[in-house]
Amino acid sequence: MTKRVSCADVQAWMNDFMDGVLNADQAVTLTEHLHACQTCRREWEALEATQNLLRAARVPDGQSSRVSVLARFRQRVADTTLERAPVRRHSGRRSVAAPLGLATAAAALGLAGLLFLLQPALVPPASPPTDAWPSHGEVNRLLTLHAIHSADISADTPELHRFVLADASSSAEGESEEGGL
Amino acid sequence: MKWTPFHKSRTDTSEHAWRETYEAQIVQCWEALWRYAYRMTGNRDDAEDLLSEALVEGFRSFSQFRGDTRFVSWMYRIMTTTRIDMVRRARRRQAESLDAALSAGSGEEVKTREIADTGSDPVALLIEPMLSEEVQDALNALPEEFRAVVILADIEQMDYADVSRVLDVPVGTVRSRLHRGRALLRRSLAQYVER
């Protein structure tokens, strides 16, 4: 006996029937309905024709594209392989040279800072503070030398030159003896 | 683009061997890959772009291919995700350059379409000159997700489970997308399929 089924149900089953996943009971009901119902039969035929059209329509030949696509693929692989080395060096195996250099620079800076801070204790002053000023005799000698040069007493008059210097020296010695008393 | 090593634990020599093996697999299923690429994109240039990109992506993951599915199905999956990424990138670019394109008065780039090689198949000789373009136009008009399901299920004749694995969506989703895709195609090709 033929089961009664609506057109909506049959049309809902058509896709599953086309894909072979409709159970046998429903499949029999559907085929019987298609014999009896012209509307559903036309719908089924249109669905089948659409699928046949899809399968029959061909694409242009792809063999020429195969050559160019594979060439592009090889080039991409080669390019990326070349790029890999520097990237890996940064991310994976790090060189020891860079950290060692940084550590050396940091140590040098630290040592320089320490020396700067300890400088007053390690380095003696250039002259004792007590002798910071020259004696009167020394001042006289320097003033005399200045006078010699100002008076244009040059190498042409060596005797006078020696005399003036001896006089200045003796006056400085006398001054120091007086200071020592 | 961020670098991902092709085969982390391989030396350069064995990487060469891996590439040759991979290429051999590609060549074996080239016709199927080409059909899928062409059907998804609708023209030769975009099909070549898709395949070039997908081949690189596939090679990156080739060492993870376990052989528990057919190589061609594995490649379909990579091509589908690559295609979706490419379309998204293109849409972003299109949105960014929309103002510039409008001010320059230039429309969308027109891709050339070729007449399919019908070979010596008499049925194809009759159907191709008329309908190849219309069929491709109808496919192009489908949403990307529907198109992938229709191509894999109806043209490549894969079952729901295989399509589900390829597209990484549940079987129920495959089924509903296929039915809706067919309904849209049937409507857009109505003049050729209704008596």
Side-chain angles (χ1 to χ4, degrees), chain A residues 27-57:
Chain A
V28 170
T29 306
L30 181 141
T31 49
E32 284 181 349
H33 182 88
L34 290 183
H35 284 301
C37 177
Q38 192 180 19
T39 308
C40 286
R41 190 166 61 248
R42 281 186 181 163
E43 186 59 31
W44 169 251
E45 286 169 354
L47 201 61
E48 268 194 319
T50 305
Q51 195 181 48
N52 289 337
L53 212 57
L54 280 176
R55 289 181 182 165

Side-chain angles (χ1 to χ4, degrees), chain B residues 7 11 40 44 60 80 92 97 106 115 129 132 137 150 153 162 171 187:
Chain B
H7 304 293
T11 64
M40 286 295 286
R44 184 180 290 273
R60 285 188 203 286
T80 306
R92 266 202 301 274
S97 63
S106 65
I115 301 297
S132 274
D137 285 343
V150 167
D162 281 345
V171 169
R187 210 173 302 159

Side-chain angles (χ1 to χ4, degrees), chain A residues 15-16 19 43 51 53 55-58 60-66 72-74 76 80-81 84, chain B residues 3 12 23 30-31 34 38-39 44 48-49 52 116 118 121 128 131 154 160 175 179 182 186:
Chain A
N15 280 290
D16 285 343
D19 296 329
E43 186 59 31
Q51 195 181 48
L53 212 57
R55 289 181 182 165
R58 294 191 178 184
D61 176 52
Q63 287 308 312
S64 61
S65 291
R66 193 184 84 180
R72 282 166 67 178
F73 162 70
R74 287 178 197 133
R76 285 279 302 276
T80 319
T81 304
R84 178 174 49 183
Chain B
W3 162 255
D12 287 343
E23 280 189 22
W30 175 259
E31 285 301 327
W34 171 251
Y38 194 93
R39 288 295 180 220
R44 184 180 290 273
E48 288 185 359
D49 286 348
S52 300
T118 55
D121 184 345
E128 283 302 318
L131 293 180
D154 274 353
Y160 292 169
R175 186 170 168 271
H179 295 183
R182 280 176 181 163
R186 184 231 173 286

